[in-house]
Amino acid sequence: MLTDDELFAEISRRKAQGQDYKKQLGELVFRWRDAATTVIRRVQGAFMRGSPDDADEIFQDAVTKFMAKGLDQFRGVSEQVPGKAASPKTFFLRIVKHCAIDRYRRQREELDEGPRDDDEDYEQPRHEAQKAMAEARAKADQGEAHEEYWAAWERLKEEHPNEAAAWDLYHHQDMDDHAEVARILGITVVNSYKRVSRAQAWLKLYVLEARKRDEAPHAAPADDEENES
Amino acid sequence: MIAPTPERYSARVEELESLRHELEGGNRPGDPGPLVGRVLEAAGDLLRRTEAVKAEGGNVTAVLLLIPEAALKSWSDGVQLPELRTRLQRAASQAVEAAIPDSPEEGEQLAGWAMQDLHARDRLESSLVALEALASNGRGDARVLFERLRRAVEDVDSACRPSAPALSALNGRRRTEAALLDVAHRARAWWYVVRSGIEDDALVQVLGGEAKGRLPPAEKRADGVVTRTRVRRISYDELFRFDLGLATTVEAEVLRRQAAEDAELKRVMAAMEEGERAIEEVTKDDEPPLRSAPVPLPVEPRSSAPEVVEERTEFKVLVFRTKTRVQVVVQPRRTDRFAAAAVFRSDEPERGLPSRSGELGHEFDLGAPEDVAGRTARVVVRLVDGQTHAIEVKL
């Protein structure tokens, strides 16, 4: 019987050559199943949540992640930090651990009432029916704004990572102090101001752009011409 | 040097005359596509600016009719629409940097580059107008190519036109260009026209908070969406990278700050530690992977690859050996639990070595390999709860 390392090498060889490796991978992760269950139970204990039935789903989720990204990630990590971290089993168990954490973290978040950042005030009409309608409309708007913002944020991270890093500290972490942002990023204070300003401009432009695209199928092609010179 | 805008287009009359001679000569070696491209651009520039540049329309058409069918096909095969799309996206991006530059000189340079990308779209428009003129003069091949290209270019425009508000820092230059176009062609030239009014000149600066100004309703809404206080959820990938010791300084800082204030994230960190202890327990009896153990797509270890001498939940100790230096790096893995590290050489046990903060963590220089050979170093790491770990490192 092949050892774990030999079987893992075979999987990697097959993957590199574009051959099917699901059978070998299935065999390998099956060997680690008990260890994975132990890790899942300990994470469940830390969250004080979960049932034995969850273990199957979490294990499958981890296997999917290992196949999708983990094999390449493992190669990268084992090159950067050789040593104990280079064991594929340890690496897989870390994926299991994070899949379990993600699951119970999400469950707790879903139990929380509503999104975290949508406590915007809105005017409340006097009649109850109107009030209910206004509340529903406001909630829908806030949900839409929430999605628009995070889509714009993902684009900013992708296209302008330096500005995104500055904005992340300044806005999401509520640092509100350019000297501190500059210190962490290793840039000048002036540069921090500029990056945050550009980030803000880009985010707003991305939100506008996404709106325009969404509206395009329903609007006349020259819908923005009122602003032309 | 690029000629001032009106002169640039006036020069097209002479250029077209010169291109006519080249076409009439007909014996130019190589691919005729680039020559045809220049003819179409020059002709289209004139056809779209008949009021600003006086040129005989009949002369322009006469030159176009000299283009051989095969040469026209060769030109159309070489039109790179994905590249045009990239250039328009880049123009929008550079225009924002030009509006909020790190320095005024940089702003001017970026604005110039962004305009060059907009000119690329405009030149293609000129080529299409010239192609259409050729088609309306009875050239069936030009009609087919025109219709195909027009459709494809409209797709690029649909994708890029919504980014027009980003171009507002270029408005002065865009207005100059737009003013030279005939009214009939101006409406299509969104790259010069959309959001180019004076009222939009400072739009990007206002959106970025660099200038004060009134925003139209759509921009006001976007401003509200972006400036609302938000806490970013730390993602699975970020936690995973942090766990592997691969988080960037900023990612680690964000995590540390958020964990200090967010009870849920604190719980996640505790679960990560508990999970890590479980992993240590279930792997403690495993054979350590051999250096020769096969790894996926084997890569030769780099000469600068570190030796991991200690790996704990809270930190790692790495030793880097090069021909000239031996260095110990203490890498915090749980910034919320790591307090301090010190390194002492066995020949100077009372003197802590100076450290500096590096890319991988706290770096301690132990000296040249020949000076430290046979000695040991003692690495002492203190955690926030007062626990201390001491590790002996053979040098």
Side-chain angles (χ1 to χ4, degrees), chain A residues 12 42 82 94 97-98 105 108-109 117 120 148 160 168 171 180 197-198 204 213 224-225, chain B residues 93 100 159 161 207 210 221 223 228 230 232-234 243 257 264 274 276 281 286 296 308:
Chain A
S12 302
R42 295 280 282 273
R94 286 215 174 100
K97 177 178 81 170
H98 281 271
R105 192 180 168 205
R108 288 186 65 89
E109 283 169 355
D117 56 0
E120 196 179 73
E148 283 174 325
H160 304 287
D168 197 23
H171 189 67
E180 184 68 351
S197 295
R198 284 197 292 265
K204 291 171 192 172
R213 289 216 171 84
D224 44 7
E225 245 71 330
Chain B
S93 182
I100 309 171
R161 184 185 168 121
L207 290 175
E210 291 269 302
R221 182 189 171 278
D223 180 76
R228 186 183 298 172
R230 293 176 194 276
R232 184 170 65 77
R233 184 185 191 275
I234 303 291
D243 203 16
R257 281 177 172 267
E264 278 306 309
E274 186 57 27
E276 196 61 27
E281 283 168 28
D286 292 354
V308 181

Side-chain angles (χ1 to χ4, degrees), chain B residues 141-160:
Chain B
D141 60 323
R143 167 75 52 204
V144 174
L145 293 178
F146 168 73
E147 284 171 359
R148 182 169 60 79
L149 269 175
R150 175 56 84 196
R151 274 195 302 275
V153 170
E154 276 171 0
D155 286 346
V156 174
D157 285 345
S158 301
C160 299

Side-chain angles (χ1 to χ4, degrees), chain A residues 5-6 8-9 12 16 35 38-39 42-43 46-48 65 69 71 73-75 77-87 89-91 93-95 97-99 101-102 105-106 108-109 112 116-118 120 141-142 144-146 148-150 153 157 160 163 165 167-169 171-173 175 180 183-185 190-191 193-198 200-205 207-209 211-213 221-229, chain B residues 92-93 96-97 100-102 106 158-166 175 178 187 193-197 199-200 203-204 206-210 218-219 221-223 225-240 243-244 246 249-250 253-254 257-258 262 264-265 267-268 270-283 286 289-291 293-297 299 302 305-308 311 316 318 331 333-334:
Chain A
D5 283 341
E6 286 166 345
F8 188 73
S12 302
T38 303
V39 173
R42 295 280 282 273
V43 172
F47 275 94
M48 289 183 287
K65 280 200 161 71
K69 268 167 81 177
L71 291 169
Q73 275 178 329
F74 172 74
R75 187 164 66 90
V77 173
S78 60
E79 281 171 20
Q80 281 183 51
V81 274
K84 193 181 168 191
S87 148
K89 180 180 174 185
T90 305
F91 193 82
L93 292 177
R94 286 215 174 100
I95 293 178
K97 177 178 81 170
H98 281 271
C99 285
I101 288 171
D102 204 46
R105 192 180 168 205
R106 279 182 194 284
R108 288 186 65 89
E109 283 169 355
D112 285 349
R116 290 175 173 206
D117 56 0
D118 56 2
E120 196 179 73
D141 285 350
Q142 286 159 13
E144 197 176 43
H146 182 83
E148 283 174 325
Y149 177 79
W150 292 112
W153 162 251
K157 272 199 307 181
H160 304 287
E163 278 75 8
W167 181 254
D168 197 23
L169 292 169
H171 189 67
H172 299 145
Q173 305 310 317
M175 207 170 271
E180 184 68 351
R183 186 190 63 75
I184 294 168
L185 295 177
V190 173
N191 212 227
Y193 270 103
K194 294 291 181 188
R195 286 189 190 184
V196 167
S197 295
R198 284 197 292 265
Q200 200 177 162
W202 265 313
L203 285 167
K204 291 171 192 172
L205 287 164
V207 168
L208 281 170
E209 219 180 296
R211 279 236 139 188
K212 275 249 174 288
R213 289 216 171 84
D223 59 344
D224 44 7
E225 245 71 330
E226 75 273 15
N227 291 305
E228 289 174 14
S229 62
Chain B
S93 182
V96 172
E97 291 186 62
I100 309 171
D102 286 336
E106 196 183 85
S158 301
C160 299
R161 184 185 168 121
S163 65
R175 280 195 293 271
V193 171
V194 173
R195 306 302 297 261
S196 68
E199 70 281 5
D200 278 329
L203 179 65
V204 173
V206 175
L207 290 175
E210 291 269 302
E219 281 73 8
R221 182 189 171 278
D223 180 76
V225 169
V226 170
T227 51
R228 186 183 298 172
T229 305
R230 293 176 194 276
V231 175
R232 184 170 65 77
R233 184 185 191 275
I234 303 291
S235 69
Y236 167 96
D237 283 333
E238 282 171 289
L239 285 171
F240 192 54
D243 203 16
L244 295 174
L246 299 175
T249 317
V250 178
E253 180 69 20
V254 165
R257 281 177 172 267
Q258 212 161 310
D262 181 348
E264 278 306 309
L265 194 58
R267 188 189 298 276
V268 166
M272 272 167 66
E273 283 175 26
E274 186 57 27
E276 196 61 27
R277 276 192 286 274
I279 291 170
E280 278 169 23
E281 283 168 28
V282 296
T283 57
D286 292 354
L290 301 170
R291 294 300 283 170
V295 295
L297 304 177
V299 171
R302 291 170 297 182
E307 176 191 339
V308 181
E311 184 180 23
K316 268 186 206 171
L318 312 167
Q331 186 177 50
R333 298 182 69 209
R334 294 277 190 279

